[in-house]
Amino acid sequence: MTRDIKSDLVAFLRTHFNESEVPVAFTAGDPTDPTAEGDVRFADYDGDNDYPQVAIASEDPVVPGGGETGYSGIDAGGKGGIQDVITSVQIDCWGGPYDADVYQSEGSHPDVVANALGREVHRVLFEADEADEGPPVPDGYEWVNAEQPVESNDTQRSPTHYRRFVIARMKHTETP
């Protein structure tokens, strides 16, 4: 069964995101409905974007060791081949431009907001919980981790749109 990794990640981030870490108004959204309104969402770079937002931009699943068959092992119960899938997902953390409505009414700076969003996404996906048991893991996945946020401002736009991106990795097993 193929998973909807982007929807799973949107719901997971919405569940664990600490909105108070963002210095301007930010609402993660309903974790039970990844298509509902919220500032953690699927990337939509064709429409009008509002800021700040965390956008799940792309996914790249890989089956390490799959070779020509695409299988990375055999099911222990004898059901046939399995695939251990590791998916890299780019998560864009947009502070946006300094002239976005939120900065006119609430202050702060979009670079500060983009940095706060990136740090919070990284915390959710990488840092251990208070019991030091590692980060929580989305249902149906074996593990999740993330790289540190990377600055990637869009300087081709005027004014500059401030952004950090985080690369997350998630592992699950499929029976094709």
Side-chain angles (χ1 to χ4, degrees), residues 40-54:
V40 176
R41 62 181 76 158
F42 301 104
D44 176 15
Y45 298 122
D46 293 330
D48 291 331
N49 289 313
D50 54 339
Y51 298 101
Q53 67 174 276
V54 172

Side-chain angles (χ1 to χ4, degrees), residues 32-161:
T32 63
D33 183 2
T35 62
E37 286 295 313
D39 294 325
V40 176
R41 62 181 76 158
F42 301 104
D44 176 15
Y45 298 122
D46 293 330
D48 291 331
N49 289 313
D50 54 339
Y51 298 101
Q53 67 174 276
V54 172
I56 310 303
S58 65
E59 65 178 273
D60 182 23
V62 175
V63 180
E68 289 183 32
T69 65
Y71 296 134
S72 52
I74 302 294
D75 179 74
K79 295 180 183 175
I82 60 169
Q83 294 177 324
D84 290 317
V85 182
I86 298 175
T87 303
S88 296
V89 182
Q90 180 175 322
I91 305 166
D92 288 341
C93 302
W94 287 99
Y98 70 85
D99 62 354
D101 291 344
V102 69
Y103 303 114
Q104 304 309 309
S105 61
E106 296 186 41
S108 196
H109 189 278
D111 195 42
V112 171
V113 172
N115 195 45
L117 292 169
R119 284 193 323 266
E120 182 59 13
V121 166
H122 182 261
R123 182 200 64 80
V124 168
L125 298 172
F126 187 77
E127 292 183 9
D129 62 13
E130 292 157 5
D132 200 25
E133 297 178 6
V137 177
D139 290 340
Y141 292 84
E142 295 173 41
W143 53 259
V144 62
N145 69 29
E147 295 177 9
Q148 288 284 338
V150 175
E151 184 175 301
S152 182
N153 299 328
D154 187 350
T155 58
Q156 299 298 313
R157 292 160 106 173
S158 181
T160 296
H161 283 53

